[in-house]
Structure formats: structure tokens, C-alpha cells
């Protein structure tokens, strides 16, 4: 072996040893020695990214059963992964290199959008600088589930003629005609089809109405929805509210200012950015809602209702950058925990909202019309309880019941709680 080959072999061996030992060294430095390492050096900054920090417990699985079930091996593997130095940079850098290769090949085909990286769950639209999920397929079974929800809801509403019901459906990119990928997927589920199925199911019910704004144009869609997240923004919620207002005889929303609430220099990257490992650094701009009639509940109050709200949110740093929508408007769990009490009203009016996270922004608008607005997370994908609607009605005694969610919320409701509409 020549001297040059020996040097190369030594360098290779040392490099491999460093790579293999670095997670352990980082674990010892961070956990054992309690050194105050910057987040970018550790794996902590990857905690918001897909493939980032995961839960694991070696101690819990350090037994024969854990070994036999391979839970111990999995916990060790996860712990090693959680302590890879510069993990966020590695994840984002790898996705970036893949995306560059995809973009280069796309120059031959000139598609409007292309995958965020090989095997990603979504696509990137360079013309809009926006990310979106791939469309949902399996139309027939999906629509049948939505129709079943509408049919059983109509039957429930007929048994409660003294309560008004309003269904609000959001146009998430998975189902939207504004998503350029939608025309490439056969048997896909569309917001329009879901809304039509609900309309057919509730036809003839005088105390049930449906509001759905389904978008065809990407420019219009991204005025009302985030470019890095699956939710509508405050403008999208306001557009839906204005449709509801004309049906339910609600108040006009008067903004504190025609100028939006801005967050200067504050880059935001929502659910799509986290999942697709692509930080497009969106600059949010929200309507200046007047929420002064509501009293904040506890120290965990949403930032929209706090003093010096925009600056208070920006002071949280990374947390709201990767989770802007629920931090600003309040996460669904917070919305469900604290009913809105409108101090400007004393008429005893009550509204109940069955929600997924689209209600985070929407309930502030509804709350302007009722003394008490109570929300329940019955439409959430991670719902675990099976409390029926009749019990919600007994607990909150509403004048009006709103359902607020995307297509999936209406499709999975009876799967999560098969007896939801039973008395």
C-alpha cells in the first residue's frame, strides 16, 4: 500500500468514526454535561420538521421484553437520530439538493408545479412560491361518507326545529380545484363534490344551510389561504363569514384598520413547509379584527387578543414561525377549552361550534354575534372521544349550531363517532 493510499484510508476511518461517534458526543455534551449548545448545532432546531425530533425512551424499554419486541432497538435508533448534529441543516439541505435536481429536469417538461423532494407528500408551485398537498383520490367512497354525514345531520336537525344549523366547508389544497395537480389525479375528491353531496343530503331542511367557497384560481386561493400551510388565513375566514352572514343574519365585521396586521421580517413556515422540508419564509398579513369585546382567558391566551399582539407573537421566535396560525388565533384545543364570552352582549344568545382547526380563526368572527360561543373539537382528525351531538346540545343549550371544517372533517365524523347523531 502506497503512502497516499494509507493517508486516504486513515482519513476515511477517522471520518467514519467521527460520524458514528458524533450523536453520542452530542448526547453527552447536551444531556450529561448540560452544556448550553445553540439549537442550530444540535437536533433541536429540527423538532418542527418532518423527520426531526421523535419521542423515544431507552430506559422504559431496557428489558427482555423490550429487546424481544425490538422496542429497545427502535428507541436506541430514534435516540441516535435525535442527537445528530446540525440535523435541521442536513434535512433541509438534502431536500434542497433533490429539489434542484427535480427543477432541472422539469425544465424539459415545464410543469406548473413539481415535488418538493423525491417521495415528498406535496408539491411546490414556483409561480406562487407556494406549497400544496397532493390531491386525495378515492372519490366514490369518500363522497358516500360525506353524504352519510349530511343525511344523519338532516335527520337530527328535523328533530330539533328550534335550532338553526349552518355547515361551513373550507377549501383545503388537497381538495381544491385551484391546486394545479388536481387535473392530473383521476377519481380525486374535490371540495365542490363534497359540498354538492352535503347540499343534496340537507335539501328540504329549512333549519340547515351550507356555505362553501371553492376556488378555481390559484391567485385568488392564495389571497385567502397560506402559502406554507393548509389553513385559510384571516382573510379566507372573513370571506367565508361574509357568506354565512347573509344567511344567518349576522353582523358586519368592522376592522380596526384597513391596513392589515403585519409581522415585519418574521418568516413563517406552516404545516406544508415542515412536512415538505422547504422553508419558503412566508410573510403573514392578517386582518385587523377588533376582538376587544372578549376577555382573555389565562396566560395561554391566543396572541390576537394580547396587548401589543404582533410584537408579542414575534418575541416567541421559532415556535410561532413554524406554527403561526394556531399561535395567532389559538389552537383548537385552546378554542375548545375557553368559550368566547362577548362582554358587549347580555342577551343570553348562545352558539355551539363543532370544529376542526379551521375554526381557530373563524370563531372570533362568530363570537361577535353571540354572548357565548362554545366550541368542541368533534371534527378533528385526532378526535378520541365519541360524545354525541345531543349531549353537546344539552351542555351548551345553543340557539345556533355551526359545523366548521374541511372536506375530511365531514367525511370522517361518523367513522370517529358512529353514533354521533343519535339521541
Amino acid at each position: 500500500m502506497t503512502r497516499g493510499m494509507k493517508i486516504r484510508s486513515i482519513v476515511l476511518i477517522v471520518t467514519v468514526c467521527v460520524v458514528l461517534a458524533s450523536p453520542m458526543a452530542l448526547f453527552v455534551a447536551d444531556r450529561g454535561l448540560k452544556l448550553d449548545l445553540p439549537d442550530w448545532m444540535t437536533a433541536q432546531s429540527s423538532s418542527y420538521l418532518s423527520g426531526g425530533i421523535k419521542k423515544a425512551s431507552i430506559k422504559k424499554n431496557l428489558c427482555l421484553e423490550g429487546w424481544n419486541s425490538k422496542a429497545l432497538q427502535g428507541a436506541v435508533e430514534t435516540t441516535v437520530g435525535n442527537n445528530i448534529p446540525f440535523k435541521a441543516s442536513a434535512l433541509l439541505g438534502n431536500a434542497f439538493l433533490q429539489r434542484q435536481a427535480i427543477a432541472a429536469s422539469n425544465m424539459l417538461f415545464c410543469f406548473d408545479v413539481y415535488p418538493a423532494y423525491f417521495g415528498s407528500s406535496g408539491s411546490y408551485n414556483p409561480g406562487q412560491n407556494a406549497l400544496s398537498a397532493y390531491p386525495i383520490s378515492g372519490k366514490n367512497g369518500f363522497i358516500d361518507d360525506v353524504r352519510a354525514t349530511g343525511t344523519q345531520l338532516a335527520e337530527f336537525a328535523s328533530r330539533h326545529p328550534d335550532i338553526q344549523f349552518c355547515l361551513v366547508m373550507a377549501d383545503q389544497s388537497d381538495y381544491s380545484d385551484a391546486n394545479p395537480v388536481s387535473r392530473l389525479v383521476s377519481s380525486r375528491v374535490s371540495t365542490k363534490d363534497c359540498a354538492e353531496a352535503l347540499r343534496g343530503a340537507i335539501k328540504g331542511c329549512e333549519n340547515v344551510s351550507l356555505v362553501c367557497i371553492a376556488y378555481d384560481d390559484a391567485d385568488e386561493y392564495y389571497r385567502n389561504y397560506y402559502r406554507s400551510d393548509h389553513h385559510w388565513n384571516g382573510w379566507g375566514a372573513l370571506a367565508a363569514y361574509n357568506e354565512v352572514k347573509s344567511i344567518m343574519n349576522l353582523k358586519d365585521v368592522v376592522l380596526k384598520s384597513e391596513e392589515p396586521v403585519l409581522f415585519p421580517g418574521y418568516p413563517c413556515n406552516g404545516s406544508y413547509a415542515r412536512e415538505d422540508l422547504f422553508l419558503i419564509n412566508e410573510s403573514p398579513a392578517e386582518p385587523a379584527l377588533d376582538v376587544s369585546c372578549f376577555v382573555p382567558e389565562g396566560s395561554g391566551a391566543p396572541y390576537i387578543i394580547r396587548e401589543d399582539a404582533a410584537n408579542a407573537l414575534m418575541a416567541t421566535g421559532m415556535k410561532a414561525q413554524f406554527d403561526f396560525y394556531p399561535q395567532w388565533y389559538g389552537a383548537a384545543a385552546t378554542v375548545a377549552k375557553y368559550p368566547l364570552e362577548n362582554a358587549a352582549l347580555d342577551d343570553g344568545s348562545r352558539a355551539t361550534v363543532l370544529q376542526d382547526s379551521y375554526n381557530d380563526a373563524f370563531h372570533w368572527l362568530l363570537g361577535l354575534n353571540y354572548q357565548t360561543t362554545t366550541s368542541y373539537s368533534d371534527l378533528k382528525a385526532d378526535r378520541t372521544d365519541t360524545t354525541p351531538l345531543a349531549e353537546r346540545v344539552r351542555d351548551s343549550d345553543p340557539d345556533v349550531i355551526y359545523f366548521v371544517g374541511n372536506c375530511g372533517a365531514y367525511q370522517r365524523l361518523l367513522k370517529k363517532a358512529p353514533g354521533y347523531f343519535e339521541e
Side-chain angles (χ1 to χ4, degrees), residues 181-195:
V181 184
S182 64
R183 61 180 180 268
L184 304 177
V185 178
S186 62
S187 189
R188 75 174 187 91
V189 179
S190 76
T191 300
K192 290 180 180 178
D193 289 335
C194 292

Side-chain angles (χ1 to χ4, degrees), residues 56-337:
S57 174
I58 295 177
K59 182 178 179 180
K60 180 180 178 181
N61 294 289
L62 193 59
C63 58
L64 184 59
E65 182 182 350
W67 175 266
N68 290 335
S69 66
K70 297 186 179 181
L72 175 60
Q73 296 91 316
V76 171
E77 182 179 352
T78 300
T79 300
V80 171
N82 286 346
N83 288 279
I84 296 175
F86 312 104
K87 186 171 186 179
S89 298
L91 289 170
L92 294 170
N94 180 45
F96 171 78
L97 292 175
Q98 293 185 46
R99 193 160 46 250
Q100 293 301 105
I102 294 171
S105 64
N106 188 53
M107 293 176 66
L108 298 173
F109 304 99
C110 298
F111 290 134
D112 294 335
V113 298
Y114 49 80
Y117 62 86
F118 293 114
S120 68
S121 60
S123 58
Y124 175 60
N125 184 333
Q128 296 286 346
N129 188 32
L131 297 161
S132 59
Y134 291 133
I136 304 294
S137 59
K139 175 179 176 180
N140 292 337
F142 195 105
I143 296 299
D144 288 343
D145 292 338
V146 173
R147 186 178 294 109
T149 295
T151 299
Q152 291 195 29
L153 188 151
E155 293 171 354
F156 184 92
S158 68
R159 299 193 298 269
H160 297 269
D162 55 324
I163 301 176
Q164 288 293 312
F165 295 79
C166 182
L167 316 182
V168 181
M169 180 177 285
D171 189 29
Q172 190 169 301
S173 71
D174 314 42
Y175 314 101
S176 179
D177 290 344
N179 184 345
V181 184
S182 64
R183 61 180 180 268
L184 304 177
V185 178
S186 62
S187 189
R188 75 174 187 91
V189 179
S190 76
T191 300
K192 290 180 180 178
D193 289 335
C194 292
E196 192 59 36
L198 279 180
R199 284 195 183 95
I202 65 175
K203 186 177 181 180
C205 296
E206 295 183 357
N207 59 332
V208 184
S209 55
L210 169 68
V211 166
C212 174
I213 302 178
Y215 298 85
D216 298 302
D217 180 71
D219 289 332
E220 187 179 2
Y221 179 88
Y222 286 116
R223 280 194 291 270
N224 289 339
Y225 283 73
Y226 296 110
R227 297 172 187 271
S228 68
D229 192 276
H230 63 285
H231 293 106
W232 57 26
N233 55 31
W235 304 103
L238 187 56
Y241 173 84
N242 285 333
E243 293 292 319
V244 173
K245 179 188 68 174
S246 61
I247 296 172
M248 304 298 290
N249 194 29
L250 304 181
K251 298 178 180 179
D252 289 330
V253 173
V254 179
L255 301 179
K256 290 188 294 185
S257 169
E258 291 299 319
E259 295 298 319
V261 179
L262 300 177
F263 305 82
Y266 195 72
C268 291
N269 294 282
S271 58
Y272 289 154
R274 300 194 307 266
E275 293 165 6
D276 293 330
L277 299 175
F278 191 2
L279 306 187
I280 65 173
N281 296 327
E282 183 174 7
S283 298
E286 300 296 326
L289 300 180
D290 185 355
V291 293
S292 59
C293 60
F294 305 117
V295 179
E297 295 280 356
S299 59
Y303 284 91
I304 188 176
I305 204 171
R306 299 191 190 189
E307 185 176 351
D308 195 18
N311 288 325
L313 180 136
M314 289 190 290
T316 66
M318 187 181 296
K319 184 175 183 179
Q321 287 181 19
F322 286 101
D323 214 19
F324 175 83
Y325 173 77
Q327 290 295 319
W328 180 246
Y329 288 109
T334 302
V335 171
K337 186 176 180 181

Side-chain angles (χ1 to χ4, degrees), residues 393-415:
V393 171
R394 288 193 294 271
D395 289 344
S396 57
D397 190 23
D399 305 305
V400 184
I401 292 177
Y402 293 91
F403 287 73
V404 180
N406 62 14
C407 295
Y410 293 93
Q411 182 265 341
R412 63 176 168 258
L413 177 57
L414 293 178
K415 292 181 176 296

